Amino acid sequence: MDVNGKGDLKSPLLQHQNGVAITISPPNQNVNKKIRTLAFKVGGITCSSCVASIEAALGRLDGVKSVTVSVLQGQAVVKYVPEVISAKMIKEAVEDTGFEVIEFPEQDIEICRVRIKGMACTSCSESTERALLMLDGVKKAVVGLALGEAKIHFDPNVTNTDRIIQAVEDAGFGADLISSGSDLSKVYLELGGITSADDFIIIREALESLAGVNHVDINVQEHKATISFEPDIIGPRSLIQCIQEAGFGPNTYQATLYTPPRGGEMERQHETLMYRNQFFWSCLFSVPIFIFSMVLPMLPPYGNWLDYKVINMLTVGLLLRWVLCTPVQFIIGKRFYAGSYHALRRKSANMDVLVALGTNAAYFYSIYVMIKALTSNSFEGQDFFETSSMLISFILFGKYLEVLAKGKTSDALAKLTELAPETAYLLTLDAEGNVISEIEINTQLIQKNDILKIVPGTKVPVDGLVIDGQSHVNESMITGEPLPVAKMPGDKVIGGTVNENGCIRIKATHVGSETALSQIVQLVEAAQLAKAPVQKLADQISKFFVPTVVLAAFMTWLGWFIPGEAGLYPRIWIPTSMDAFEFALQFAISVLVVACPCALGLATPTAVMVATGKGASLGVLIKGGNALEKAQKVKTIVFDKTGTLTIGKPAVVSSVLFSEVSMKDFCDLTIAAEANSEHPIAKAVVKHAKRLTQQYGSENDHFTEVKDFEVHPGSGVSGKIGEREVLVGNKRLMSLFNVPLGHEVDRYVSENEKLARTCVLVAIEGRAAGAFAVTDPVKPEAALVISYLHSMNISSIMITGDNWATATAIAREVGIQKVFAETDPLGKADKIKELQLQGTIVAMVGDGVNDSPALVAADVGMAIGAGTDVAIEAADVVLMKSNLEDVVTAIDLSRKTMSRIRINYVWALGYNVLGMPIAAGILYPFTGIRLPPWLAGACMAASSISVVCSSLLLQYYKKPLRANSAT
């Protein structure tokens, strides 16, 4: 892929088949079933008769929707309903016909993403993960707390998405399916002209009969359809046309696009609104309780009426506090009961358990006090109704602020998704390329191979190929490259980039989920879901944290109650309105509440989310927390040479004349001789010579035709231009034609060879006329990057397949001390393993297919974004701008992120380490300071908010090295 090929991040896996397809009409019972596609190789197919027998055998099977067999490729593609027939049965049916099934997917693995609602801490995510992994057919499950999502790999022959969602709900959390692996592309349509239930059946059958349609889901109540399709075969305009043509007689159907609300955003808004409303309702009851218990009794005579006795010692104040607290405890606070029930049922404990224990202890002890006051003429006790209600209010307020802050962690990702324009100009061309019509359409309706017009100042709607016109395109939104990139016919353009000055026509090559923008978004989403190894610490702590806290709270209660009853500390320490039991109970509740582990679970994922999103906006794609954590430990970086340290394209750096021939004639003859050569060095020489002819005032675009043109492999070319014999090549060619080379020529050649340059000599009529020095130029920022890495205590090594002389010269130019040259791809990987055995963490920076083994072998693989798909797939970090500065950015960002995670742990554990002893009353004997339960709840909420806000500071990260801006 060339420098403009960043859009080609993903190619379709299945090309359109040339075989004949038999479509089997679906039985009625399968109308609402999902359809899956199975592709496999069949050995022994030699003719159309073989195809017919296989198609007939499979076509008879119940549950098979369509069969396509290709003679040329020896491949079968079968669409089937997995709930009716399995992939194994399809394989056996083919083998029964006498053909061998090869390259059959032994285990059909599908991936789905599920949104999970109601997770409060790392214990919740751990238990959800366990519940999913216990489900038969689930191979791998990763649950992201900060993102509120799960990514599940499962065998669709054993389980399905409905069972996965049921497993999450059984664990006590809400679940919604975001996407399934079979959904390559989706279109959302609003249906019109519906008059009866039969219309939905007609539309469904019409759509399912189309090749390329995977699944049709129709919402009868809302008259909306969601269609999953394969963009290689069919597109959204064809689907709309199919619906419109499905009507007959008086029935005419319409279909229009509608944009469903973004699930994550909608869910987050709903969650924010829920916590806000619950907090306001809680305050409506809790504030009066606080006033009745804490404020008015301190302001006589305004609070005297609260002491009025209703029955025996039951006062008006106590009765009001009970009436107001009960809705907070059992209606507003029911989420804590539900969360505790589900946590305890799965034999784990989370934040909800601690909150429920603390508030119930306060509430039911207060009920005990109220009953004693009701039945006694002399009992005096202190109730804790304000503790229970204020505690729930503060926790809900903390969760509300936490959800607000967490919403900002995905801001960078949201900005990426909004880059694509809403509309585009679709052109219809005739056979000669003339425009027949031009219409403005929604970008969601664009199909592969559409011809689109991009006018100046508008965004490119999808990835495509320029077929007409010239312009400059600003790709900074995708690649971060500040300078507009020149585009001409044959160049690739990326969806979301801005066309600067010219009008161009493009042919759509990648649409929907296959565009570079979609791939980047998917990559960042996957990175945000992946767990960093450092998070294992929080996961391990959470397993025993809650039981330890409960034990600590009980020991705190015993530590204050028993000595209080035994008179081991002064009675004056106990407030006059309490006894030793109540006094000890307040300390125990404070310990329970202040130690909630919410912040601990948020410390890592929120930082990883912000860092990966920020990295993507800077042109550095980091594939998850694992890559982030490894990158900050890198001590040695291994660079490939060609295309990594160098630009990767030959260029002429100097030219010289050795005879009396004019520069104009010299260049004209060179261009004429080299114009027929396809060699990269020849192209570089021609390009440079043309530039020189323009510089010397020549306007001649037509050069003399070469006679007797001959290519001498490994040496150069020769030919007759006019009456003059011209040779262009190396010293071997000159020797072959007995051209004498003087001292001046030898000196020029040797000087340039020392600088790793290739000399192209030009001889006219048997005499050396001049020469060009060609090299693969070093990237302008390379030396600065190597120097900066050295200042970061990171050593640099170069590994290349090129010769030692060139490698040494390039290394000397950029400042690299250690070089390995003439190394094959596997040798590169072996060298990296040798370095790893010395105990150093190694990163590899490369761009080509030959670098892939080394990228995989390295602890951190960094792929240059303009490189090949294989290298990008193998790497942990993708540098989309193809700029070496971003090697520094990736490492620096990882260091800043890990530093931020450590700070987050200090915030999270700091509240617990400092808060628990204070809550347990360690300072009370010396200073009289104690932490009331409601204030402990505020501290617990503050710990979560401070951790999320600490992570958000990464949004202000600035690149440490900006060579381009300085030049």
Side-chain angles (χ1 to χ4, degrees):
M1 190 165 59
D2 58 25
V3 75
N4 294 309
K6 303 180 190 81
D8 202 8
L9 284 176
K10 182 182 176 186
S11 296
L13 294 174
L14 286 175
Q15 300 297 329
H16 184 63
Q17 303 297 318
N18 296 320
V20 180
I22 297 177
T23 303
I24 314 299
S25 299
N28 290 335
Q29 69 266 26
N30 294 337
V31 166
N32 295 315
K33 305 290 186 183
K34 284 193 176 181
I35 300 166
R36 186 162 290 117
T37 302
L38 175 69
F40 54 91
K41 296 277 187 183
V42 182
I45 298 178
T46 56
C47 61
S48 58
S49 176
C50 301
V51 171
S53 59
I54 294 171
E55 287 177 344
L58 294 178
R60 287 193 294 269
L61 298 175
D62 189 24
V64 171
K65 304 282 285 182
S66 70
V67 186
T68 304
V69 181
S70 170
V71 180
L72 295 176
Q73 296 176 338
Q75 186 179 41
V77 179
V78 183
K79 285 192 175 184
Y80 67 102
V81 180
E83 293 178 22
V84 179
I85 189 170
S86 69
K88 188 179 178 183
M89 290 166 68
I90 293 171
K91 179 186 177 184
E92 289 171 353
V94 174
E95 289 173 341
D96 287 345
T97 61
F99 294 93
E100 183 189 2
V101 175
I102 51 180
E103 292 185 25
F104 189 82
E106 287 301 323
Q107 200 172 47
D108 194 7
I109 297 297
E110 200 170 292
I111 301 170
C112 72
R113 285 173 58 223
V114 174
R115 183 166 292 107
I116 300 175
K117 297 173 279 189
M119 291 193 298
C121 61
T122 188
S123 177
C124 299
S125 60
E126 278 283 292
S127 54
T128 309
E129 210 166 274
R130 281 199 301 272
L132 287 167
L133 289 170
M134 286 170 65
L135 189 66
D136 286 341
V138 170
K139 305 302 174 187
K140 183 182 175 185
V142 181
V143 179
L145 174 63
L147 207 58
E149 290 181 9
K151 187 176 183 181
I152 303 111
H153 298 244
F154 65 98
D155 184 348
N157 298 314
V158 180
T159 190
N160 55 33
T161 52
D162 294 334
R163 289 179 194 160
I164 287 168
I165 287 172
Q166 187 61 49
V168 175
E169 289 173 348
D170 288 345
F173 302 99
D176 291 319
L177 183 68
I178 301 172
S179 65
S180 173
S182 58
D183 303 336
L184 288 178
S185 294
K186 276 185 178 181
V187 66
Y188 301 89
L189 301 176
E190 196 159 359
L191 306 175
I194 306 293
T195 56
S196 69
D198 291 339
D199 293 334
F200 292 114
I201 297 171
I202 292 168
I203 291 172
R204 182 191 293 278
E205 288 180 345
L207 288 170
E208 288 186 340
S209 67
L210 294 174
V213 173
N214 287 333
H215 180 59
V216 180
D217 184 22
I218 296 179
N219 186 323
V220 176
Q221 284 75 30
E222 297 183 11
H223 288 203
K224 289 176 179 174
T226 303
I227 306 156
S228 301
F229 63 94
E230 294 178 32
D232 289 339
I233 301 171
I234 199 166
R237 292 203 309 280
S238 303
L239 298 172
I240 290 173
Q241 186 181 352
C242 172
I243 292 171
Q244 290 169 346
E245 292 175 353
F248 56 89
N251 289 356
T252 55
Y253 304 133
Q254 298 90 41
T256 53
L257 280 174
Y258 86 94
T259 305
R262 284 180 61 208
E265 192 59 39
M266 189 180 179
E267 193 61 46
R268 194 175 293 113
Q269 287 175 1
H270 174 73
E271 194 178 15
T272 305
L273 201 63
M274 179 193 72
Y275 278 119
R276 190 195 70 181
N277 292 343
Q278 286 187 349
F279 170 64
F280 284 156
W281 277 107
S282 184
C283 283
L284 191 67
F285 293 98
S286 301
V287 171
I289 296 173
F290 183 76
I291 293 170
F292 294 158
S293 61
M294 298 287 188
V295 180
L296 288 180
M298 307 292 290
L299 302 171
Y302 302 107
N304 291 348
W305 61 277
L306 293 169
D307 294 329
Y308 179 76
K309 294 180 176 58
V310 181
I311 302 172
N312 291 335
M313 298 301 290
L314 180 64
T315 63
V316 171
L318 181 57
L319 189 61
L320 280 173
R321 290 194 290 275
W322 171 67
V323 169
L324 290 169
C325 179
T326 301
V328 177
Q329 182 71 34
F330 296 108
I331 298 174
I332 297 168
K334 70 178 180 181
R335 63 182 307 279
F336 300 114
Y337 286 100
S340 301
Y341 165 73
H342 288 296
L344 294 172
R345 198 184 71 173
R346 57 180 182 260
K347 297 176 183 177
S348 67
N350 60 7
M351 180 202 84
D352 292 332
V353 173
L354 293 180
V355 174
L357 277 172
T359 56
N360 276 321
Y363 180 83
F364 285 106
Y365 178 74
S366 302
I367 292 290
Y368 162 75
V369 168
M370 194 173 75
I371 293 170
K372 287 283 284 184
L374 182 65
T375 56
S376 171
N377 292 322
S378 57
F379 175 79
E380 287 187 11
Q382 173 69 37
D383 67 277
F384 292 152
F385 283 125
E386 86 288 341
T387 295
S388 169
S389 58
M390 291 299 291
L391 193 53
I392 288 172
S393 297
F394 269 113
I395 289 166
L396 290 172
F397 181 59
K399 295 301 287 181
Y400 170 59
L401 292 179
E402 183 187 309
V403 170
L404 278 179
K406 276 164 67 179
K408 295 185 181 297
T409 59
S410 55
D411 277 357
L413 197 58
K415 286 175 185 172
L416 275 176
T417 58
E418 290 164 6
L419 286 177
E422 291 183 2
T423 59
Y425 293 103
L426 175 68
L427 302 179
T428 306
L429 308 179
D430 61 18
E432 296 175 359
N434 300 314
V435 178
I436 300 171
S437 67
E438 177 184 320
I439 55 169
E440 190 174 7
I441 63 166
N442 191 302
T443 50
Q444 293 179 48
L445 293 175
I446 296 173
Q447 300 181 177
K448 275 195 176 180
N449 300 320
D450 278 349
I451 307 299
L452 307 168
K453 184 174 85 171
I454 318 295
V455 297
T458 59
K459 289 181 178 179
V460 178
V462 293
D463 296 358
L465 207 63
V466 178
I467 58 169
D468 187 34
Q470 293 185 7
S471 183
H472 284 79
V473 175
N474 186 338
E475 298 183 342
S476 59
M477 291 85 86
I478 303 291
T479 66
E481 181 59 49
L483 297 175
V485 181
K487 300 290 179 183
M488 54 187 64
D491 289 341
K492 294 176 183 175
V493 287
I494 308 170
T497 56
V498 178
N499 182 27
E500 294 270 326
N501 49 16
C503 183
I504 55 175
R505 291 181 194 171
I506 69 165
K507 181 180 181 180
T509 55
H510 293 76
V511 297
S513 60
E514 292 184 351
T515 62
L517 189 59
S518 295
Q519 294 296 305
I520 291 166
V521 170
Q522 289 170 29
L523 198 62
V524 176
E525 283 179 341
Q528 292 181 344
L529 197 59
K531 286 186 180 179
V534 71
Q535 195 175 338
K536 291 176 183 174
L537 172 65
D539 294 342
Q540 290 298 321
I541 291 173
S542 70
K543 287 179 183 176
F544 60 84
F545 193 81
V546 174
T548 305
V549 169
V550 173
L551 182 63
F554 181 68
M555 296 303 293
T556 300
W557 178 78
L558 284 179
W560 282 101
F561 175 62
I562 294 172
E565 286 292 305
L568 297 178
Y569 57 79
R571 180 68 181 82
I572 196 170
W573 284 8
I574 304 173
T576 52
S577 58
M578 295 186 190
D579 59 19
F581 179 86
E582 296 162 350
F583 185 55
L585 186 63
Q586 280 223 341
F587 285 118
I589 293 171
S590 294
V591 169
L592 273 178
V593 174
V594 81
C596 280
C598 307
L600 198 63
L602 292 168
T604 299
T606 52
V608 170
M609 277 182 72
V610 178
T612 50
K614 184 64 180 176
S617 68
L618 293 172
V620 179
L621 288 182
I622 302 169
K623 296 183 181 178
N626 196 18
L628 264 175
E629 188 167 340
K630 282 183 180 176
Q632 57 107 21
K633 298 176 184 175
V634 168
K635 292 298 176 190
T636 303
I637 295 189
V638 176
F639 290 93
D640 174 46
K641 181 182 76 70
T642 307
T644 302
L645 288 171
T646 65
I647 290 171
K649 291 182 179 178
V652 176
V653 288
S654 73
S655 55
V656 66
L657 290 174
F658 298 128
S659 66
E660 300 299 320
V661 67
S662 70
M663 181 60 80
K664 179 184 177 303
D665 281 351
F666 173 70
C667 290
D668 285 348
L669 292 169
T670 303
I671 292 167
E674 288 280 59
N676 295 320
S677 175
E678 290 297 317
H679 197 283
I681 291 179
K683 289 182 177 180
V685 168
V686 170
K687 185 178 179 182
H688 184 77
K690 284 182 177 179
R691 197 181 304 125
L692 285 176
T693 56
Q694 290 172 0
Q695 185 180 328
Y696 284 92
S698 173
E699 299 295 328
N700 181 25
D701 288 335
H702 303 286
F703 299 99
T704 312
E705 189 178 341
V706 185
K707 295 176 183 176
D708 302 329
F709 178 78
E710 189 177 352
V711 176
H712 304 273
S715 300
V717 297
S718 63
K720 203 168 186 181
I721 302 168
E723 295 301 318
R724 290 186 282 190
E725 188 80 30
V726 178
L727 304 172
V728 183
N730 55 22
K731 287 173 74 175
R732 192 184 303 130
L733 183 71
M734 301 300 138
S735 175
L736 186 67
F737 282 84
N738 299 315
V739 176
L741 301 177
H743 177 69
E744 186 183 6
V745 177
D746 284 335
R747 190 180 65 213
Y748 180 80
V749 171
S750 61
E751 283 176 358
N752 281 285
E753 282 180 346
K754 286 177 185 175
L755 295 171
R757 294 172 181 173
T758 301
C759 284
V760 177
L761 302 172
V762 180
I764 301 171
E765 292 293 322
R767 289 182 59 198
F772 298 92
V774 184
T775 187
D776 182 2
V778 170
K779 287 184 177 177
E781 73 275 11
L784 180 60
V785 168
I786 301 300
S787 173
Y788 197 92
L789 287 170
H790 184 69
S791 70
M792 295 170 71
N793 294 319
I794 297 174
S795 60
S796 300
I797 296 172
M798 186 171 78
I799 296 183
T800 178
D802 213 337
N803 63 70
W804 277 99
T806 305
T808 307
I810 296 293
R812 188 165 52 245
E813 188 176 346
V814 298
I816 291 178
Q817 304 295 324
K818 198 170 185 179
V819 180
F820 296 104
E822 299 175 7
T823 311
D824 63 18
L826 292 176
K828 290 181 181 181
D830 291 338
K831 291 290 181 189
I832 283 172
K833 288 171 185 172
E834 283 176 25
L835 292 167
Q836 289 170 329
L837 288 173
Q838 295 169 17
T840 183
I841 303 296
V842 182
M844 168 72 191
V845 185
D847 71 318
V849 174
N850 61 332
D851 297 324
S852 298
L855 287 169
V856 173
D859 296 289
V860 180
M862 297 187 185
I864 297 293
T868 62
D869 291 352
V870 178
I872 290 169
E873 193 65 33
D876 302 299
V877 179
V878 181
L879 312 177
M880 293 190 293
K881 294 190 303 180
S882 303
N883 195 316
L884 286 177
E885 294 165 26
D886 289 334
V887 173
V888 174
T889 303
I891 293 172
D892 186 65
L893 179 58
S894 72
R895 288 184 177 183
K896 292 280 195 309
T897 305
M898 296 311 297
S899 173
R900 184 58 53 187
I901 288 171
R902 285 189 282 271
I903 291 169
N904 286 353
Y905 277 128
V906 170
W907 278 111
L909 293 171
Y911 276 93
N912 291 329
V913 171
L914 296 174
M916 280 180 68
I918 296 170
I922 196 168
L923 298 179
Y924 188 71
F926 313 106
T927 61
I929 294 174
R930 65 190 177 94
L931 200 64
W934 62 269
L935 188 57
C939 288
M940 186 273 290
S943 68
S944 296
I945 296 161
S946 57
V947 162
V948 178
C949 291
S950 169
S951 294
L952 284 171
L953 290 175
L954 284 168
Q955 284 192 334
Y956 300 101
Y957 172 81
K958 300 281 189 233
K959 291 173 66 172
L961 194 59
R962 290 179 177 269
N964 277 358
S965 59
T967 56

